[in-house]
Amino acid sequence: MNPTWVMGFPNGYETGTYLALDMGGTNLRVCEIILLEEKGEFDIIQSKYRMPDELKTGESEELWEYIADCIQQFIEYHHEVEDLQHLDKIPLGFTFSFPATQTYIDKGVLQRWTKGFDIKGVEGKDVAPMFEADIARRKLPIRLSALINDTTGTLIASAYTDDTMRIGCIFGTGCNAAYMENCGSVPKIASYNLPPDMPIAINCEYGAFDNEHYVLPRTPYDIIIDEDSPRPGQQAFEKMIAGLYLGELFRLVLVDLHDNKSCEFFSGQDISRLRKAYTLDSSFLSMIEEDPFENLSETGDLFRRELHIRAKQPELELCRRLAELIGTRAARLSACGVAAICIKKDIKSCHVGADGSVFNKYPHFKARGAVALREILDWEKDQKDPISILAAEDGSGVGAALIAALTIKRVKEGNLAGIRNVEGMI
Ligand code: BGC
């Protein structure tokens, strides 16, 4: 649970031009966002850059250089080079979607890498100066105004257009949520003596829930995923529900069934492709769950095409059921995270903004999550869902820009909680 120094919701009338950098997992995205005068309106231009896999497990210097390269390309493409020298430094919101301890809004000490990242020399260090050094070297007209988590961005971006939003979630490669707390209820910031009812967004980092394995029953496949990951013992909850792991869970079960000779599963087939770890991603399961045909012919084609396996009808049926189980467990556990926040904050009705590939693309995820939320929170049978999880606004773009805007605004108004360098902010 990390305090974020995002001190309240936007009112929809924030304005100005901001840059946003989104380092999520799969891609790197640079955006320029103009928050317009009209309530909740904005313009955005953006470019996506592939995040090469080697970078995720490489050296820290290469990562920061690559990021600065992408920002430089973006700025040079969208602004006249002559203008660059005269441009005021544009405030930038950096969405760094990993657990970070923040003593200031523009600082963040990486607690640990998640989602398969394993870059040396970053854990335990403040990522802001590493990022800023390459930006300064290239003399890019940028100042880092806020380092944010994708969930906080999602919460704030969604609240910009919908004032009933109370929670921002990501159900994607990783999973997590953020919500607004009162400073008085956050022991970690008690020493700051802030007004107890002042709001502060909390990044829950609930992907790390139950790292001690006291609560959730784990299957042998969950244990293998954890043990073979770059950080065994970390992100226990995330490893059961996030997109990065769903395909791998499925693969591990199939390999186990095959290797257990008494099952005669895929017997006589060459399963060498299936033996490769992380060869299936969650879109493979999505396609199986989406197969509209009774005889699962599309699933059969998929196995032939991707894995060179000719599956028999009962094998296909088992695969479908297995995908359903994995997808349903993920959706139901995801709903537990949302329900936990609602119970803690005694929220009886609200909107929850959600983003991420699993939420947006995995079939039935939303409906299964909604059913689970209803069961956990025990709503009346005929009662319309008082809490619903909806597709969020772009948190890592618009959300990051809004947080930069909100930070500058509150510094000007004299609220300096979590602000290190007042002059540099305004
Ligand atoms: C990270 C969180 C992030 C989530 C979703 C997790 O692995 O620890 O900080 O919010 O992924 O991207």
Side-chain angles (χ1 to χ4, degrees):
M1 192 220 78
N2 294 326
T4 63
W5 303 110
V6 173
M7 318 292 289
F9 286 114
N11 60 18
Y13 291 105
E14 289 69 19
T15 53
T17 301
Y18 304 88
L19 286 175
L21 166 69
D22 175 13
M23 181 182 154
T26 327
N27 292 312
L28 197 77
R29 190 163 61 112
V30 185
C31 320
E32 185 168 311
I33 297 115
I34 306 178
L35 302 175
L36 303 167
E37 304 274 320
E38 296 77 24
K39 188 170 197 278
E41 297 286 324
F42 58 87
D43 279 340
I44 180 165
I45 45 174
Q46 53 182 321
S47 299
K48 266 192 187 166
Y49 306 87
R50 207 180 70 81
M51 181 87 179
D53 278 341
E54 316 80 74
L55 223 55
K56 297 183 186 166
T57 51
E59 301 292 328
S60 151
E61 295 73 33
E62 289 162 12
L63 171 75
W64 304 115
E65 234 177 75
Y66 181 74
I67 289 180
D69 266 347
C70 296
I71 299 182
Q72 183 162 12
Q73 264 184 48
F74 179 88
I75 295 188
E76 288 177 354
Y77 186 76
H78 294 287
H79 293 273
E80 297 297 326
V81 179
E82 309 81 75
D83 286 358
L84 286 180
Q85 277 87 36
H86 310 295
L87 223 58
D88 267 350
K89 287 195 170 178
I90 313 173
L92 176 133
F94 177 8
T95 306
F96 181 70
S97 305
F98 299 93
T101 308
Q102 296 194 267
T103 42
Y104 297 105
I105 190 153
D106 57 348
K107 300 264 138 193
V109 174
L110 174 65
Q111 294 161 347
R112 73 202 84 83
W113 286 117
T114 59
K115 298 179 277 201
F117 275 65
D118 190 9
I119 303 168
K120 286 175 227 60
V122 190
E123 281 175 329
K125 301 221 176 91
D126 183 356
V127 296
M130 305 190 202
F131 163 75
E132 283 169 318
D134 275 281
I135 297 294
R137 224 182 337 269
R138 287 156 203 256
K139 300 197 172 52
L140 298 176
I142 287 172
R143 62 188 151 101
L144 177 62
S145 300
L147 187 88
I148 70 164
N149 187 261
D150 49 359
T151 53
T152 322
T154 300
L155 173 67
I156 297 299
S158 301
Y160 189 51
T161 53
D162 176 348
D163 54 19
T164 64
M165 283 286 172
R166 290 288 170 272
I167 300 172
C169 302
I170 301 289
F171 304 119
T173 310
C175 76
N176 189 14
Y179 73 102
M180 205 58 83
E181 190 49 275
N182 307 318
C183 289
S185 312
V186 187
K188 280 189 181 167
I189 54 167
S191 63
Y192 291 79
N193 290 322
L194 297 167
D197 55 355
M198 181 183 270
I200 183 166
I202 297 296
N203 162 14
C204 299
E205 285 299 334
Y206 67 36
F209 169 67
D210 204 27
N211 279 354
E212 307 77 16
H213 310 305
Y214 289 151
V215 182
L216 298 172
R218 290 195 301 163
T219 67
Y221 313 105
D222 295 312
I223 295 172
I224 299 176
I225 290 218
D226 183 39
E227 286 174 350
D228 292 350
S229 74
R231 293 290 177 281
Q234 301 292 345
Q235 301 298 98
F237 189 53
E238 177 162 283
K239 283 171 178 160
M240 299 172 102
I241 65 183
L244 179 59
Y245 306 102
L246 300 184
E248 181 63 1
L249 277 167
F250 180 81
R251 187 193 73 81
L252 286 169
V253 178
L254 296 192
V255 170
D256 192 29
L257 286 170
H258 173 81
D259 289 348
N260 183 341
K261 294 290 170 248
S262 63
C263 294
E264 297 193 13
F265 191 80
F266 292 158
S267 62
Q269 304 269 340
D270 171 10
I271 69 153
S272 48
R273 285 194 168 217
L274 187 66
R275 285 205 187 274
K276 188 160 175 274
Y278 287 90
T279 202
L280 306 180
D281 64 18
S282 52
S283 68
F284 194 90
L285 269 66
S286 297
M287 286 188 264
I288 297 176
E289 285 224 51
E290 260 162 3
D291 186 343
F293 299 112
E294 183 81 25
N295 65 359
L296 297 172
S297 58
E298 287 192 353
T299 307
D301 292 345
L302 187 68
F303 271 85
R304 260 196 302 281
R305 202 172 57 239
E306 301 294 328
L307 299 169
H308 298 179
I309 290 173
R310 290 181 173 277
K312 300 190 194 85
Q313 188 61 28
E315 292 169 339
L316 291 175
E317 280 163 23
L318 185 145
C319 288
R320 165 78 153 231
R321 185 72 193 116
L322 178 60
E324 279 168 7
L325 283 173
I326 293 173
T328 304
R329 185 181 75 158
R332 290 177 69 80
L333 285 177
S334 298
C336 293
V338 174
I341 300 174
C342 294
I343 292 170
K344 174 170 169 47
K345 290 299 292 171
D346 198 23
I347 299 172
K348 299 284 185 239
S349 84
C350 75
H351 284 161
V352 175
D355 208 346
S357 50
V358 174
F359 182 78
N360 291 324
K361 297 202 195 124
Y362 197 95
H364 318 301
F365 185 86
K366 293 180 192 134
R368 288 168 180 162
V371 170
L373 208 54
R374 170 168 286 278
E375 287 172 31
I376 303 166
L377 298 174
D378 210 11
W379 296 327
E380 300 291 329
K381 263 207 181 66
D382 45 5
Q383 189 184 0
K384 198 172 154 279
D385 292 2
I387 299 173
S388 33
I389 311 182
L390 308 173
E393 292 294 335
D394 167 17
S396 313
V398 179
L402 278 164
I403 291 172
L406 288 171
T407 307
I408 296 166
K409 186 166 150 215
R410 77 172 165 92
V411 170
K412 287 185 179 158
E413 289 166 359
N415 177 352
L416 303 182
I419 304 296
R420 181 181 50 97
N421 170 6
V422 176
E423 248 120 74
M425 272 292 169
I426 45 184

